[in-house]
C-alpha cells in the first residue's frame, strides 16, 4: 500500500477555525466551496489523528483562491502562530529557544522536527544555513520528496512560506521568504529565508 499524505487533526481544525473567523464576505467565498463531508471529517478528527492531505486541500485551496497569494500567506502565518502554541509543538519551540535563543535560525532549525509531528508522508523538511550572524542571516529551507498531489496549484508551497514568515515575525525581525521557481518537473520546494 502506498503512503497516504496526511496532516494532524489539530492543524486542520485550526485552519478551519481561522476560516470561520474571517470577515463574513470572505467566508461566503470560501466555506460553500468546501464539501460538507470534508468539514465533518475535519470537525470530527481527533486532535492527534490524521486527516488525508487531499481533504485538507479542499479547505486550503478555496482559502488561497479567495485571499490571493499574499493574503493566504498572511492567513497561514497567523494560523502557524496559533499552531506553534499547541502543546505538542510548543515543546519543540520552547526547547529551541532555550538551546539557541529567540532567533529566526533557531526556529527554522527547529521546524523539521515540528514538521515530522504535524505531517505524514508529505516530504522531508531540510534546514540549510547560508549566512548567520547576530545582525542578519539567510537560510535555505527545502521540502524534498514532495508528493505529486502537493505540487499542484501552489497552495501547499505558499502555506509553508507563511509558516516561515511567522518565525520572522515571532522574533521581531524584518525579512523575506522567497519561494524559488524550480520548473514543472520539480519534486521539491526551495525557500530563501533572509532577515536583518
Amino acid at each position: 500500500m502506498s503512503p497516504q499524505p496526511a496532516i494532524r487533526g489539530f492543524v486542520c481544525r485550526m485552519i478551519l477555525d481561522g476560516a470561520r473567523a474571517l470577515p463574513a464576505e470572505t467566508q461566503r467565498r470560501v466555506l460553500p466551496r468546501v464539501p460538507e463531508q470534508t468539514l465533518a471529517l475535519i470537525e470530527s478528527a481527533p486532535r492527534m489523528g490524521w486527516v488525508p492531505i487531499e481533504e485538507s486541500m479542499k479547505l486550503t485551496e478555496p482559502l488561497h483562491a479567495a485571499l490571493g497569494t499574499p493574503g493566504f500567506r498572511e492567513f497561514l502565518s497567523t494560523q502557524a502562530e496559533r499552531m506553534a502554541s499547541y502543546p505538542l509543538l510548543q515543546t519543540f519551540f520552547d526547547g529551541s529557544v532555550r538551546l539557541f535563543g529567540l532567533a529566526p535560525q533557531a526556529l527554522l532549525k527547529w521546524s523539521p522536527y515540528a514538521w515530522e509531528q504535524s505531517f505524514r508522508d508529505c516530504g522531508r523538511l531540510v534546514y540549510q544555513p547560508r549566512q548567520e550572524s547576530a545582525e542578519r542571516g539567510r537560510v535555505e529551507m527545502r521540502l524534498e520528496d514532495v508528493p505529486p498531489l502537493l505540487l499542484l496549484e501552489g497552495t501547499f508551497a505558499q502555506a509553508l512560506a507563511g509558516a516561515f514568515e511567522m518565525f520572522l515575525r515571532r522574533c521581531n525581525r524584518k525579512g523575506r521568504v522567497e519561494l524559488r521557481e524550480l520548473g514543472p518537473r520539480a519534486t521539491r520546494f526551495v525557500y530563501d529565508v533572509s532577515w536583518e
Side-chain angles (χ1 to χ4, degrees):
M1 186 171 137
S2 64
Q4 182 181 28
I7 184 172
R8 289 281 187 196
F10 77 88
V11 176
C12 285
R13 185 57 188 256
M14 285 183 175
I15 294 169
L16 178 57
D17 291 346
R20 288 180 170 153
L22 289 168
E25 173 60 30
T26 307
Q27 285 183 48
R28 284 192 291 276
R29 293 190 346 246
V30 173
L31 296 175
R33 294 184 54 202
V34 183
E36 287 296 322
Q37 315 86 279
T38 299
L39 293 173
L41 174 65
I42 292 171
E43 289 169 340
S44 67
R47 290 182 179 273
M48 293 305 293
W50 294 104
V51 173
I53 202 75
E54 62 188 294
E55 291 299 320
S56 172
M57 291 173 73
K58 292 176 183 175
L59 171 61
T60 55
E61 287 177 356
L63 278 163
H64 191 189
L67 299 172
T69 296
F72 181 69
R73 279 174 71 158
E74 183 178 329
F75 172 83
L76 259 291
S77 182
T78 301
Q79 302 319 304
E81 182 82 39
R82 292 178 55 220
M83 290 173 211
S85 66
Y86 191 78
L88 175 71
L89 300 181
Q90 182 73 40
T91 302
F92 287 108
F93 174 74
D94 290 346
S96 176
V97 171
R98 276 194 298 278
L99 286 171
F100 307 111
L102 183 60
Q105 61 266 40
L107 300 184
L108 292 162
K109 195 178 290 187
W110 158 86
S111 61
Y113 302 105
W115 178 265
E116 292 172 5
Q117 298 304 311
S118 303
F119 295 90
R120 182 183 71 198
D121 299 324
C122 291
R124 184 173 55 90
L125 192 59
V126 177
Y127 166 86
Q128 181 65 51
R130 295 291 182 212
Q131 173 193 0
E132 294 185 31
S133 71
E135 299 82 36
R136 61 183 43 151
R138 187 172 143 258
V139 302
E140 179 181 277
M141 298 298 296
R142 292 188 312 270
L143 184 59
E144 299 179 340
D145 305 320
V146 178
L149 175 67
L150 301 182
L151 296 169
L152 304 174
E153 305 296 326
T155 296
F156 198 82
Q158 295 299 336
L160 188 52
F164 296 147
E165 288 171 346
M166 178 273 294
F167 292 145
L168 298 176
R169 189 176 64 248
R170 197 160 201 185
C171 296
N172 294 316
R173 299 304 284 268
K174 291 181 186 175
R176 297 171 51 119
V177 177
E178 295 180 23
L179 177 59
R180 278 195 223 151
E181 293 293 327
L182 297 177
R185 294 199 196 293
T187 60
R188 64 185 182 148
F189 302 133
V190 179
Y191 302 85
D192 288 313
V193 184
S194 58
W195 62 91
E196 48 186 52

